[in-house]
Amino acid sequence: MSHPLYPSRHEDRMRAIIRLALPVIGARVGILTMATMDTLMLGHAGANELAYFAISAAPQVTLLTVSLGLLAGTQVLCAQARGARELERVGQIWRVAMVIAVVLGLAGAALLWQGKALLRLAAQSADIVEGGGYALEMVAPGVPGLLMYIATALTLESIGRPRAGLIIVLAANGVKLLLNWLLIFGPFGLPELGAAGANLATAIVRWLMCIVIVAYLLEMSGAEAYGIYARIREPVLTAWRLLRLGAPIGLGQGLESSAFTTLAGFAGLIGATQLASYQIALNLTALLFMVSTGLATATAVHVAIAVGRGDRAGMAASGWLGTALNTAIMAVAALALAAGGGALAALYTSDPGLAAATIPVIAVVAWMVVPDGVQGVLMGALRGAGDVLMPTLLHLFSFWALTVPLAWHLAFTRGLGVEGLLWALVVGLSVAGAVLALRLLQIGRRAPSRH
């Protein structure tokens, strides 16, 4: 029988996924818009500043994607509780997730504070180590605020209230734009901090976002029904369930992200201009991947609700519908990238040399966005079903046994440079999508079980 949480008819289910996905996509795009803003503004501040930002982004992305994976169990458990009509468990799960977020955030901040040492270990040049390391020091204090924001946003999305996150992110972008102008370019006699200024602005905005979204959750209608203020029962068991789900997800996302980070290191070995062009390529890819992330989130929530209700057919249908919708959207995006490489390069930089290096790179990105989006949504579907270990092993193969060695071969042995790095990603992401699709077929034949 159909239910408002997840309709039984495919067309109604598709509309329900889209309704949840749209504000989530908006919020995710809004978060990435801050990085896009940094890339655009620093591209006009100079190739060196963009290179410092790019190399500082690499360890951040790995750290944050692993942390996000560790917190992803929040969304799965809350959505399953919602499907099982155990609403009072949502608040308890959220509060335990917040403790985990604080611990992870403090550890992450301490790690990024050692940015110069990290970049020396990556064998970067003295100039890149100094500029990139300073930028990492500036962004480090914002990590706990971001992770607490994420834990709260995941909770709100799982109960069908994603609009608060969207509104907060939109407002945060306005604050970020002002702070970037002040801290990157140094008007009114302020210090001109470049990449470090962009990262300092990011740290400030992340704490503002955290404060506002937590205040919203505490004051929202129905907070008591969701157990926001109730005494936490079995906190250790709840933490164990969150981490049992989150650890493989975090490892899988970390394997993928660290592969991208390793390739950024390869680009840095080629040269500062090539590293900057790689950063532009990654920013375009990430911007489009936010659409896939929103659809992956909506798909995971609907799959998890079906699991909570013991509905095997609904679980499989939600996974495939989300994947099909994402494939269609990314195909259109790929055509737009293929046609607009020159205009996009001009948008990102006024440096003729960097623009010339970026145009062929964008042409390869056009081939990358479809398999990247497909594997992202399939991972969301499997996450909602609580299947996390096997996808992690599949990521290990796709990215580290295949993508990284192939990237080195194409970039250096075959002399393809940054384009070679991205072609290796096309291959690795395509393989990841194929094996994850086979895994979803297998999982769809089983009776769902809660975690």
Side-chain angles (χ1 to χ4, degrees), residues 280 284 332-348 355 358-366:
I280 291 171
L284 277 171
V332 174
L335 292 174
L337 285 172
L344 287 169
L347 180 66
Y348 274 93
T358 300
I359 291 172
V361 164
I362 293 174
V364 185
V365 171

Side-chain angles (χ1 to χ4, degrees), residues 66-81 89-101 104 150-152 154-155 158 232-251 383 386 388 451:
V66 171
S67 299
L68 178 58
L70 287 168
L71 293 169
T74 308
Q75 190 176 70
V76 175
L77 291 185
C78 287
Q80 288 183 357
R89 283 186 45 77
V90 169
Q92 298 180 41
I93 294 166
W94 169 69
R95 283 194 284 169
V96 173
M98 288 291 277
V99 174
I100 295 173
L104 289 174
I150 288 171
T152 308
L154 290 173
T155 301
S158 72
I232 300 178
R233 300 192 304 271
E234 301 178 321
V236 175
L237 180 59
T238 300
W240 164 248
R241 287 172 175 166
L242 284 169
L243 293 174
R244 186 179 63 181
L245 279 171
I249 297 171
L251 178 59
R383 180 172 69 243
V388 291
H451 290 261

